[in-house]
Amino acid sequence: MSLLRQNLTLEVAAVATVFILGAFTPAAWTEETRTYDFKLPDLEGKEVSLQQLLAQGPVLVNFWATWCKPCQKELPHLDEIAREFAGKGLSVVAVSVDNPRSVSKVKSYVKAQNYSFITVLDTNGEAKRAFKAFSQPYTVMLKQDGTKAFSNIGYKPGDEKLIREKILALLATLPAPAETAE
Amino acid sequence: MRAAGALALSLLAGFAAGTLLPPRAAAFDLGALNAGGSNQTEYSVATEDGHEILEEWLDLELTAGDLAAGLRYEAFQPPQKDDPLGDPVREGVAFRYVEVGRDWGSLRAGNYYALFGRGLSLNLFEDRDVRIDNNLDGVLFQGASGPLEWTMLSGRARVTSSERWPADDSGLERLDLLHGGDLALRPVSRLRLGVSAVRSRFPLAGGEVRRDLVSGRAEVSAGPLSFYGEHGTLDGIAGARDGEGTYLSVNAAMKGVGFTAEYKNYDRFSLTTLDGRINLNNPPALSKEQSYTLLNRDPHFLVVNDERGYQVELTAVPRHGATVTLNRSRNERHNGLVWYEEYFLEARQDFDGERGLSTASIIADYRGVEEGKFHSSFIGDVTWILDDVYSLRVEAGHQHTENTAIGSFDTELVVIELNQSPALVLGASIEWNNKSDAQRGDEDAVYAMGTVSRTLLGDADLTLAFGSRQAGYYCVGGRCRYEPAFKGFESKFLVRF
C-alpha cells in the first residue's frame, strides 16, 4: 500500500468516525472555553474593541465580504436580528474580510443598504485568522466571557431562524437587567 | 513515513480536540492557558490516470496571559499539482511564532503577516484557497500610543513547502532580507495620515542589491464622503529609473445609494524577492471580484510593473429588498494598450416571504482581454424556500466568447443546489459548449460534477465532489489560481477547534 493510500485510509476512517459521531455528540461536549478578541476600525475609521462590546453583553460576529454571494443573502437577516435585539444586550458585528482589492467598496455597500449592525474592516485578515474564518459567511455567537456559544458555516435559507432561536436561548440565561428607579 | 505519522496525528488530534473530548479538555483550558487551531485536508484522485494529490494544513495556537505561540504544519504530496516527479512528500513546520503583547503593543518573533496602508508598500498575507502565502520570518513589533500607531519589522520570505521538490533543496534558502516600518497618525478623528518605508537587501559577493520603497498616504472621512490616497516610489535596480505607484479612492455613500471610484497608476512598482517568486507589495487591482464560475474564465491579473486604470461601482437600493450594482473597470499598459476592461450589471431582489421565491438575481457581464478574447455573459440565479429547512437554488449561465485565435463559441452552465439548513448542501453542475472539434481539441464536450457539503457540530465542514469540470480559474476575493480540467473525486475537510 502506498504512503498516500495509508494517509487516505486514515483520513477516510477519521472523517467517517467524526461524521457519525457528529450526529450523536451531546452539544455540551462541544462547548468551548477559548476566548476571542479583536480591535478593528469601523467604516469611519474608529476603533471597535470586541472586549468592550462583550462588556455590554453577548456578541454575534459575522464574517463576510462584498464579493460573497451567500453573504449578501444573509446580511439582511443579520440586520433584522440587530434591529430586533438592539437595547436587549446583544451586539451584532459584521467583520468585512475584504482585502485591499475590494475594501473600498464596503462602505458604499453597507451604507446603501442602511444596515444597522456594526461593520468593521479586517483588511489584513487578523480576525479572520484568529477565528479561522477561512470561508465566508461564518457566524460566531460569543458569550459575554468571550467564549463561543455556537457557530454557523455558510448561509442557507432557514439558518437565520436557528441563529435567532439560539440567541433567545442564550439571552434567557443572562440575569435580567436591573430595573431603573423612577 | 514521517508525513503519514504526522498527518495521522494531526487529524486525530484535531478531531479529538474539537469533537470527542469533554469541554474542559477539549479547549485545553489550563487556567489562563488557551489553545485552539484548525486542520484542513484536501484530497483528490483523477479517475483517468489515478493521479492523487493530498494537501494538509494543521494550525495550532496557544495563549497564556500576555504570551502567545503558534505553528502550522504543512504536507503536500506531490508538492506541486503539476509536479512531474509525482510521489515525493514535502512536509514540515512552515509557520511558527512566539509573541508577547501588552498595553504598549506586541512583539513577535517568527513568522508573521503585515499590511501597510492598502498594500502599495507591503502586503503579507495568506489566502489558502488560492495557495498564496508570502509571510516573513523574523521580528514584528506593533504598537499604539494616543493618535500614533506604528509597525516595525524585519525578516525573510520563506521557502515554501511546494518549492522544496528537488531532491537536493539545500540551495533554496532565500537570502533577501526585508526591513520595514509604518507610522500612522490620526490628528483628528476623521483624518488619518501614514508613511511607510521598506528596504529589501540581497547580499552578493561584491556587495548587495538594495531596493527602497517609500510611500505616504492620507485617509479622510467626512459624513457620506471618504477619500483614500497613497503614493509611493521604488528605487530602480542598477541605475534604472525609479518606479512609482499611485492609488486613489473616493467613496460617497448614503441610504439607498453608494458610489466608489478608484484610480491606479503602477509603473515599475513591483517589489519582489530577487528571484521574483514572492510578491512583497500587492496594491489594489481595480477589477470586479467575481464569484460565479463563468465570470472567472479570464480573470484580471494585476501587473504591478506596468498598469494604470480605473474602476467605478454604483450600488443602488431603489426599494426594499432590491439592489442594483453597476461596475466598470479599465486597465491599460503605459503604452496605451487596453488589455482588460469590463462592464458588469447585477440586479437582485430579496423577498420577505416564509415560502416561495427568496432571492432572484440577473447578471450581465462583458469583458475584453488583451489576447483578443471577448466574453459576454448572462447569469440567472434564483433561490426558492421550500419549507423551514429546505431551499432550492438554481443558477443558469450563458457565455458567448469571441476569440481571435480559435473563433467564437458559446458555453452553458447550470448549477442546482438543494440546501438543508443548517448543515447540508447537495449540489450538481453541468457545463457544455458548442466548440467545433478543431476548437475543442482534447477537451470534453460536457462536464458534470456532483457535490455534497456537510457541516458538523457547527465548526467542521466536509465537502465531497465527484465528476468532471472544465479548466479555469478558482477565485476568492479577486485572487485566482488556475485549475486544470479535472475528472475524478475530490474531498475537503476543515475542522476548527
Side-chain angles (χ1 to χ4, degrees):
Chain A
M1 182 183 283
S2 74
L3 183 63
L4 188 58
R5 290 194 183 283
Q6 289 177 37
N7 289 343
L8 182 62
T9 305
L10 279 169
E11 183 191 351
V12 170
V15 169
T17 304
V18 172
F19 203 91
I20 295 166
L21 289 173
F24 299 102
T25 305
W29 281 26
T30 64
E31 184 181 335
E32 273 208 47
T33 54
R34 183 187 182 195
T35 58
Y36 296 84
D37 191 17
F38 58 67
K39 289 179 181 174
L40 295 171
D42 67 9
L43 296 176
E44 308 303 330
K46 184 182 168 190
E47 186 179 89
V48 174
S49 162
L50 179 59
Q51 284 301 321
Q52 287 181 4
L53 293 174
L54 286 167
Q56 301 163 30
V59 179
L60 186 70
V61 181
N62 176 265
F63 290 85
W64 71 288
T66 53
W67 40 261
C68 163
K69 295 298 173 187
C71 302
Q72 292 176 357
K73 294 178 183 175
E74 184 176 39
L75 288 179
H77 300 295
L78 286 178
D79 185 49
E80 288 174 10
I81 288 171
R83 292 178 191 276
E84 178 181 352
F85 292 97
K88 297 177 183 174
L90 177 77
S91 301
V92 179
V93 181
V95 181
S96 162
V97 299
D98 285 272
N99 59 46
R101 284 174 172 253
S102 53
V103 69
S104 61
K105 297 169 185 166
V106 177
K107 186 173 181 179
S108 299
Y109 188 80
V110 172
K111 294 287 184 184
Q113 299 286 355
N114 197 32
Y115 289 142
S116 62
F117 44 67
I118 301 164
T119 302
V120 295
L121 305 174
D122 186 29
T123 315
N124 72 352
E126 188 180 325
K128 175 181 165 181
R129 286 191 292 276
F131 281 76
K132 308 297 177 196
F134 295 131
S135 61
Q136 296 79 38
Y138 178 55
T139 305
V140 179
M141 182 75 213
L142 295 176
K143 291 183 280 192
Q144 198 159 4
D145 61 3
T147 61
K148 194 187 293 183
F150 66 86
S151 58
N152 193 56
I153 299 171
Y155 170 72
K156 296 163 277 293
D159 287 3
E160 69 278 6
K161 292 173 186 165
L162 293 175
I163 291 172
R164 187 177 175 279
E165 285 172 12
K166 291 184 176 181
I167 290 171
L168 287 169
L170 180 62
L171 292 179
T173 64
L174 300 178
E179 289 190 20
T180 308
E182 293 276 334
Chain B
M1 280 306 289
R2 279 201 307 155
L7 175 60
L9 185 65
S10 67
L11 283 166
L12 293 173
F15 300 157
T19 61
L20 302 180
L21 299 180
R24 305 303 285 179
F28 300 98
D29 183 31
L30 303 171
L33 183 68
N34 277 303
S38 65
N39 191 83
Q40 181 173 331
T41 306
E42 297 191 19
Y43 168 78
S44 68
V45 55
T47 50
E48 286 184 335
D49 58 7
H51 184 59
E52 296 172 298
I53 298 171
L54 181 66
E55 297 169 287
E56 157 73 21
W57 298 262
L58 170 69
D59 288 278
L60 295 173
E61 286 125 34
L62 287 170
T63 58
D66 297 332
L67 300 174
L71 64 83
R72 182 188 311 139
Y73 166 80
E74 295 178 351
F76 303 109
Q77 185 178 12
Q80 291 177 318
K81 288 196 171 188
D82 55 352
D83 194 327
L85 301 179
D87 278 341
V89 181
R90 286 294 177 265
E91 49 83 26
V93 175
F95 190 97
R96 74 280 181 273
Y97 66 89
V98 292
E99 182 174 312
V100 57
R102 299 293 297 271
D103 295 342
W104 43 261
S106 64
L107 178 65
R108 174 184 286 209
N111 299 87
Y112 57 84
Y113 302 102
L115 173 67
F116 291 172
R118 294 273 168 99
L120 268 73
S121 52
L122 190 73
N123 187 359
L124 308 173
F125 64 97
E126 183 202 15
D127 195 329
R128 197 170 296 172
D129 287 324
V130 291
R131 306 295 190 266
I132 297 175
D133 187 348
N134 62 345
N135 72 74
L136 292 187
D137 187 7
V139 179
L140 172 72
F141 174 51
Q142 293 178 300
S145 177
L148 274 177
E149 291 175 29
W150 62 84
T151 300
M152 296 166 63
L153 57 84
S154 181
R156 283 192 168 90
R158 66 175 192 155
V159 177
T160 62
S161 300
S162 62
E163 287 178 294
R164 291 192 173 280
W165 60 266
D168 177 12
D169 61 11
S170 56
L172 276 180
E173 288 308 319
R174 199 159 266 131
L175 299 177
D176 312 69
L177 186 61
L178 196 85
H179 310 289
D182 183 81
L183 186 65
L185 171 68
R186 185 185 291 278
V188 292
S189 65
R190 298 193 175 279
L191 173 65
R192 185 181 164 95
L193 305 170
V195 291
S196 303
V198 175
R199 169 168 290 179
S200 168
R201 299 168 62 194
F202 187 90
L204 295 174
E208 64 179 15
V209 175
R210 195 168 78 184
R211 304 199 78 188
D212 290 328
L213 197 162
V214 179
S215 73
R217 62 184 186 272
E219 193 169 2
V220 184
S221 179
L225 298 174
S226 53
F227 166 82
Y228 182 95
E230 186 169 356
H231 178 77
T233 59
L234 173 63
D235 282 355
I237 295 181
R241 190 159 60 92
D242 289 353
E244 286 189 304
T246 303
Y247 170 76
L248 303 171
S249 169
V250 177
N251 209 287
M254 61 190 78
K255 182 181 178 182
V257 183
F259 176 75
T260 303
E262 296 172 281
Y263 168 80
K264 68 178 174 192
N265 189 346
Y266 309 137
D267 186 9
R268 297 177 305 285
F269 197 59
S270 176
L271 180 63
T272 68
T273 52
L274 198 67
D275 60 11
R277 300 188 65 159
I278 304 288
N279 293 315
L280 299 168
N281 65 340
N282 288 279
L286 277 62
S287 57
K288 179 73 178 168
E289 303 78 22
Q290 306 288 2
S291 53
Y292 288 105
T293 302
L294 286 181
L295 301 186
N296 282 318
R297 281 289 148 81
D298 264 313
H300 168 245
F301 287 98
L302 177 66
V303 178
V304 188
N305 278 331
D306 185 10
E307 198 165 307
R308 65 186 175 198
Y310 65 85
Q311 177 179 216
V312 291
E313 182 162 301
L314 174 73
T315 302
V317 184
R319 60 189 175 90
H320 176 68
T323 304
V324 178
T325 304
L326 285 163
N327 181 284
R328 156 79 170 141
S329 63
R330 177 185 164 101
N331 302 276
E332 64 179 37
R333 305 291 186 213
H334 284 90
N335 64 7
L337 174 68
V338 179
W339 79 285
Y340 191 98
E341 63 176 336
E342 183 172 10
Y343 296 86
F344 174 88
L345 163 68
E346 178 176 12
R348 189 180 89 231
Q349 177 68 54
D350 297 322
F351 300 91
D352 288 335
E354 297 277 313
R355 299 282 189 278
L357 205 53
S358 169
T359 304
S361 299
I362 297 172
I363 293 106
D365 182 89
Y366 170 83
R367 73 181 63 182
V369 296
E370 185 179 19
E371 294 85 356
K373 281 187 263 185
F374 305 91
H375 299 290
S376 302
S377 308
F378 302 93
I379 297 171
D381 187 345
V382 179
T383 301
W384 284 272
I385 297 176
L386 304 174
D387 61 21
D388 286 347
V389 172
Y390 289 96
S391 60
L392 185 69
R393 175 178 169 264
V394 178
E395 171 195 330
H398 168 84
Q399 184 172 67
H400 177 71
T401 300
E402 296 279 349
N403 188 326
T404 52
I406 65 170
S408 64
F409 59 90
D410 297 289
T411 304
E412 322 295 335
L413 175 69
V414 176
V415 179
I416 300 174
E417 287 178 359
L418 177 65
N419 299 308
Q420 182 196 45
S421 172
L424 183 67
V425 180
L426 301 175
S429 66
I430 183 167
E431 177 181 342
W432 68 96
N433 58 53
N434 63 357
K435 288 181 179 176
S436 66
D437 290 343
Q439 287 175 315
R440 180 167 293 120
D442 295 334
E443 291 179 17
D444 288 343
V446 178
Y447 296 87
M449 181 77 86
T451 59
V452 180
S453 183
R454 173 85 163 91
T455 301
L456 307 164
L457 301 170
D459 262 337
D461 200 16
L462 173 68
T463 300
L464 306 174
F466 183 77
S468 61
R469 64 156 184 272
Q470 173 65 294
Y473 289 90
Y474 178 69
C475 301
V476 178
R479 294 177 178 132
C480 305
R481 71 173 160 133
Y482 179 74
E483 287 281 356
F486 176 76
K487 188 184 293 183
F489 167 79
E490 291 177 315
S491 71
K492 177 178 178 179
F493 185 70
L494 170 64
V495 59
R496 304 165 180 85
F497 48 87

